[in-house]
Amino acid sequence: MREIVLDTETTGFEPSEGHRIVEIGAVELLNHMPTGRVYHQYINPERAMPAEAFAVHGLGDDFLRDKPRFAEIGAAFWDFIGMDAKLVIHNASFDMKFLNAELSWAKLPLIAADRALDTLLIARRKFPGSPASLDALCRRFGVDNTSREKHGALLDSEILAEVYLELLGGRQPDLVLSSAPTPKAGAQPVEAWRPRTRPEPLPPRLTEAEAEAHAAFVAGLGDAAIWRRFA
């Protein structure tokens, strides 16, 4: 099962008032596991950025001026989300009205409403009366969002993907301890799914001070220390 965890940043609250999308971020899940495939695009909104929106996401006129317009990237966006993957979105009605407004202006097919899976509604049903913002859910599930100083579509999608899996009951909700089914006679073998490698390696989290302390520790173990094999 393929799902796309998605988020947008905009110039305001209502496309009917002339507001536009300025950023789209999306993360692909397959059988509830991240594949490493992402979609990320900044977009020229063809209008000035209101100060209130700039305070939320920090995307200003100078930065967005040379970015492509939605009409130029709409087809590539459709290629990424495909025709049938569920779209996992926090407060889905907001993002969906903007996406379909932009698609209609670009004369591209609209996204069916039933494709959207709203994690805000899931959280409110699961924890009635409790805060259900993305930050509140990160605190509830222990999801690290310390890098979220401002809203960013790709970062928020990556964080939401973790929150979504926790809302489903854990990091691997579909894990079953059973052997694979025996294929029928004459059926083509199905290749087991493997997660794709990340497009870019994760940055190291080891500080220079920690690396120096480890090197000094290994140096004191002598020439036969096993750690020297990995130097």
Side-chain angles (χ1 to χ4, degrees), residues 2-8 23-29 35-41 77 80-81 87-88 152-158 161:
R2 184 172 181 263
E3 297 168 301
I4 303 296
V5 185
L6 185 146
D7 185 56
T8 65
E23 185 185 10
I24 302 174
V27 175
E28 182 186 61
L29 304 180
T35 67
R37 286 191 69 213
V38 301
Y39 176 88
H40 185 222
Q41 181 66 61
F77 171 69
F80 182 81
I81 66 171
L87 305 182
V88 180
L154 182 58
L155 175 60
D156 283 2
S157 293
E158 292 170 340

Side-chain angles (χ1 to χ4, degrees), residues 30 34-35 191-197:
L30 195 58
T35 67
E191 182 179 354
W193 176 82
R194 294 288 185 272
R196 298 180 178 90
T197 57

Side-chain angles (χ1 to χ4, degrees), residues 31-33 171-181:
N31 298 327
H32 298 316
M33 295 293 290
R171 302 301 172 112
Q172 296 184 20
D174 285 346
L175 181 64
V176 290
L177 301 179
S178 62
S179 57

Side-chain angles (χ1 to χ4, degrees), residues 71-219:
E72 300 172 272
I73 62 91
F77 171 69
W78 254 115
D79 287 344
F80 182 81
I81 66 171
M83 298 300 295
D84 54 4
K86 283 288 187 182
L87 305 182
V88 180
I89 308 172
H90 202 69
N91 193 16
S93 60
F94 178 87
D95 300 81
M96 288 289 286
K97 72 181 177 183
F98 267 97
L99 288 168
N100 278 332
E102 293 282 5
L103 289 167
S104 68
W105 295 330
K107 295 180 170 51
L108 290 167
L110 305 187
I111 303 170
D114 61 4
R115 288 186 60 181
L117 188 63
D118 193 341
T119 50
L120 178 61
L121 298 181
I122 295 173
R124 285 175 174 170
R125 285 197 299 266
K126 192 165 187 176
F127 309 112
S130 297
S133 69
L134 187 55
D135 285 336
L137 293 173
C138 285
R139 290 192 295 271
R140 174 181 287 276
F141 294 126
V143 173
D144 182 10
N145 67 342
T146 53
S147 56
R148 194 180 186 240
E149 295 179 4
K150 287 184 179 291
H151 287 250
L154 182 58
L155 175 60
D156 283 2
S157 293
E158 292 170 340
I159 292 172
L160 180 58
E162 292 191 59
V163 167
Y164 172 56
L165 298 180
E166 293 290 354
L167 284 170
L168 294 181
R171 302 301 172 112
Q172 296 184 20
D174 285 346
L175 181 64
V176 290
L177 301 179
S178 62
S179 57
T182 304
K184 295 180 180 179
Q188 293 295 322
V190 178
E191 182 179 354
W193 176 82
R194 294 288 185 272
R196 298 180 178 90
T197 57
R198 291 178 177 270
E200 296 181 7
L202 289 173
R205 304 182 71 176
L206 187 70
T207 66
E208 290 186 14
E210 290 169 334
E212 291 173 0
H214 178 71
F217 172 76
V218 172

Side-chain angles (χ1 to χ4, degrees), residues 14-30:
E14 291 295 338
S16 61
E17 297 175 0
H19 289 293
R20 307 290 298 271
I21 293 177
V22 295
E23 185 185 10
I24 302 174
V27 175
E28 182 186 61
L29 304 180
L30 195 58

